[in-house]
Amino acid sequence: MKLRNFILSAIALLTAVTLNAQAKTDFSGYYKNLPLKLQPVTAPAIPDYTIKISDFGGVNDGVTKNTEAFAKAMAHLAQKGGGHLVVPEGIWYTGPIQFESNVDLHLQRGALVLFSEDLADYPVLSSNWEGLSTHRAMSPLSARGKENIMISGFGTFNGNGQCWRPVKKGKMTDNQWKSLLKKGAVNQKGDVWFPNERIREVYEDKNLQAQAHRGDKEKIEYVHDFLRPVLLSFIQCKNVMLKDATFENSPAWNLHPFLCENLIIDNVTVRNPWYAQNGDGIDVESCTNVLIVDSSFDVGDDAICIKSGKDKDGRELGVPCSNVLIDGCTVYHGHGGFVIGSEMSGGAKDIVVKNCLFIGTDVGLRFKSTRGRGGVVENIYIDDVKMSDIAGDALIFDLYYGGKGNATAVPVTEETPSFKDIYMNNITCRSAQRAAFFNGLPEMPMKNVQIKNSRFRADTGITLNHVDGLLLDNVTIDALNGEPLTKQNGVTNLVIK
């Protein structure tokens, strides 16, 4: 018996040492030879103390709800000053998990944390969605104002998103659509399916949707089921790392760090069905000092996205997304591989994207905004990006996102978005519908955009509209149809070498 206890203690100690070693990973090597100086990130410091979820009543049978077990374990770690919460293999069915400071939630290989399909498990809270201060249902994984928090290990988090998301008929096969119709509800036109009747009702009523922003408690509760959460919401947190885990099937966006500082995303897998409505991969919003490396994304909307608030809310908050390094990531399906916008009213600056691969995305590099946003996007460096089988544009700047272009200039105000000082090098696109589309505003054209040492093979070439100071240096456009370069309106200071 003593020998058995000694062995178990040794195993627990070895696990703790291993986990703590992971937390001390040095990321400084990623910051060598960059085109601008970025502040290196540091891994969170997690105390050398380890517990298991089963120690607090957790059961891995896929049926027992473990919400209370996770809450007790987190409370215990908070009392102890932090540590590692180990989730062994098995299916751990649960409601939302709320983080405490100095905690690593470590999923061993073979562990699946499956979040409850009971929407009532996720109460409505004040939150942020698509750049606006509003209310949302509690996220399955959440933290607010915490420090030194970590998710690690090769397990999987599944958000049971199909219980929240509407589905468009046009994205389904006939058999898939027929299967959906066996439950839930459809809109009057019969082309959108909803998990329940309340979601359908709110989806079709803008007045009800507005209750999420300014309604009283009773009205907000009425629209609860419509307020689908992101899978992971970390707000105003410092020293955060997500390492090795898989995050999938989110109700809305998958990962949403907001107003976080010193954030590391390392070797994670982010997955959603390709038809997932608002099924973004990661939306880094108004965060400072961010590293996203060696990760893969296969999602239903934008994959790796930079945001900083929408319109007046974003401008008043005034926190740009800055000091960001994205290196060695692969994107499969997604509306955009790397994206800035369209909610960028607080600005975005000092961002480096390098050594990434986009296969089968709708757009490769996607910059989007519109009048009314405001905000400045500047000092963006993109190097060594490979693309293949891009359904739309390999590169797009669209300053009329969500609307139609208007060639008539309007006065420049704080609501005018600005994109400038964007540098691209070694961009290779094997196939796309169009090589690039620059669609700027006549009152604020894109300024100082450089593309060097790149090659685009596409059905059509580059179309330019309202850009001032575009440099194409050693750029080859293999356009299968039409001219490789078409200038429309407001193109000045174009240099081709």
Side-chain angles (χ1 to χ4, degrees), residues 46 77 101 119 147 163 274 289-290 339 386 456 478 488:
I46 306 297
L77 287 174
S101 292
L119 307 193
E147 294 189 11
C163 302
W274 74 271
N289 300 343
V290 179
V339 183
K386 289 79 64 178
F456 299 85
D478 300 315
Q488 292 185 335

Side-chain angles (χ1 to χ4, degrees), residues 57-296:
V59 180
N60 63 350
D61 60 5
V63 177
T64 304
K65 193 174 287 188
N66 290 284
T67 313
E68 185 176 353
F70 277 107
K72 287 181 177 179
M74 285 288 178
H76 174 81
L77 287 174
Q79 184 181 26
K80 291 289 186 178
H84 305 274
L85 172 54
V86 175
V87 180
E89 60 83 27
I91 301 178
W92 303 87
Y93 182 63
T94 184
I97 299 172
Q98 298 180 69
F99 277 73
E100 298 289 347
S101 292
N102 308 310
V103 169
D104 165 33
L105 178 58
H106 180 81
L107 270 60
Q108 293 182 338
R109 194 180 297 275
L112 168 63
V113 174
L114 177 63
F115 289 100
S116 164
E117 66 268 59
D118 184 354
L119 307 193
D121 285 343
Y122 308 87
V124 174
L125 303 173
S126 296
S127 189
N128 183 279
W129 171 242
E130 293 189 326
L132 298 175
S133 297
T134 184
H135 295 87
R136 305 299 290 180
M138 176 184 285
S139 289
L141 295 162
S142 69
R144 183 185 288 264
K146 305 300 181 181
E147 294 189 11
N148 297 313
I149 55 177
M150 181 172 173
I151 293 175
S152 65
F154 289 94
T156 299
F157 296 91
N158 185 300
N160 241 324
Q162 72 280 358
C163 302
W164 298 84
R165 295 189 306 262
V167 178
K168 295 178 179 179
K169 182 179 180 180
K171 295 186 175 182
M172 297 281 98
T173 65
D174 289 342
N175 286 338
Q176 288 171 332
W177 185 251
K178 289 177 182 178
S179 179
L180 281 178
L181 295 180
K182 293 177 181 178
K183 57 183 179 179
V186 294
N187 64 342
Q188 189 172 4
K189 290 179 63 177
D191 60 356
V192 181
W193 174 89
F194 303 89
N196 65 44
E197 178 61 30
R198 181 62 56 82
I199 297 175
R200 182 210 62 77
E201 179 188 4
V202 181
Y203 183 93
E204 296 185 325
D205 190 330
K206 299 295 184 183
N207 291 326
L208 281 176
Q209 291 178 31
Q211 304 300 337
H213 302 292
R214 59 177 183 269
D216 58 27
K217 185 176 186 300
E218 182 178 349
K219 292 177 180 177
I220 291 172
E221 289 296 335
Y222 187 84
V223 301
H224 168 277
D225 290 5
F226 176 79
L227 304 177
R228 52 196 171 104
V230 299
L231 175 60
L232 180 147
S233 173
F234 285 175
I235 300 174
Q236 293 178 315
C237 294
K238 186 176 181 179
N239 305 333
V240 176
M241 181 155 72
L242 310 181
K243 181 174 175 60
D244 299 330
T246 295
F247 302 86
E248 66 176 15
N249 197 17
S250 57
W253 297 344
N254 217 308
L255 308 177
H256 184 209
F258 175 52
L259 290 170
C260 291
E261 180 182 351
N262 197 49
L263 167 68
I264 301 169
I265 310 295
D266 178 21
N267 193 43
V268 303
T269 299
V270 181
R271 301 171 58 236
N272 265 335
W274 74 271
Y275 54 83
Q277 193 86 352
N278 305 114
D280 295 27
I282 182 169
D283 293 88
V284 181
E285 184 168 4
S286 296
C287 294
T288 305
N289 300 343
V290 179
L291 178 66
I292 304 175
V293 294
D294 303 327
S295 297
S296 67

Side-chain angles (χ1 to χ4, degrees), residues 351-424:
I351 296 172
V352 177
V353 180
K354 61 192 291 281
N355 189 30
C356 289
L357 177 63
F358 305 150
I359 306 172
T361 57
D362 292 352
V363 175
L365 300 166
R366 188 183 192 193
F367 299 80
K368 53 181 177 174
S369 188
T370 190
R371 288 169 175 155
R373 291 282 192 269
V376 178
V377 173
E378 60 185 342
N379 297 337
I380 313 298
Y381 293 81
I382 301 173
D383 184 55
D384 193 18
V385 172
K386 289 79 64 178
M387 311 181 205
S388 182
D389 300 319
I390 305 301
D393 300 294
L395 165 65
I396 187 171
F397 290 89
D398 186 5
L399 278 297
Y400 292 97
Y401 179 72
K404 297 181 179 180
N406 182 355
T408 303
V410 301
V412 173
T413 69
E414 66 175 6
E415 298 183 355
T416 306
S418 172
F419 286 70
K420 62 182 180 178
D421 303 333
I422 298 171
Y423 308 94
M424 288 170 272

Side-chain angles (χ1 to χ4, degrees), residues 308-365:
S308 62
K310 182 177 180 180
D311 300 345
K312 184 179 178 182
D313 280 18
R315 294 193 301 273
E316 288 183 346
L317 183 62
V319 179
C321 210
S322 63
N323 206 71
V324 178
L325 173 58
I326 299 167
D327 188 353
C329 293
T330 300
V331 178
Y332 298 99
H333 189 273
H335 288 185
F338 170 74
V339 183
I340 295 183
S342 67
E343 302 95 335
M344 41 62 67
S345 300
K349 63 180 181 178
D350 302 334
I351 296 172
V352 177
V353 180
K354 61 192 291 281
N355 189 30
C356 289
L357 177 63
F358 305 150
I359 306 172
T361 57
D362 292 352
V363 175
L365 300 166

Side-chain angles (χ1 to χ4, degrees), residues 8-24 46-51 83-84 86 104 106 108:
L8 291 176
S9 298
I11 291 173
L13 178 62
L14 179 61
T15 300
V17 170
T18 301
L19 293 173
N20 204 38
Q22 285 181 326
K24 294 179 180 178
I46 306 297
D48 187 9
Y49 176 71
T50 301
I51 60 174
H84 305 274
V86 175
D104 165 33
H106 180 81
Q108 293 182 338

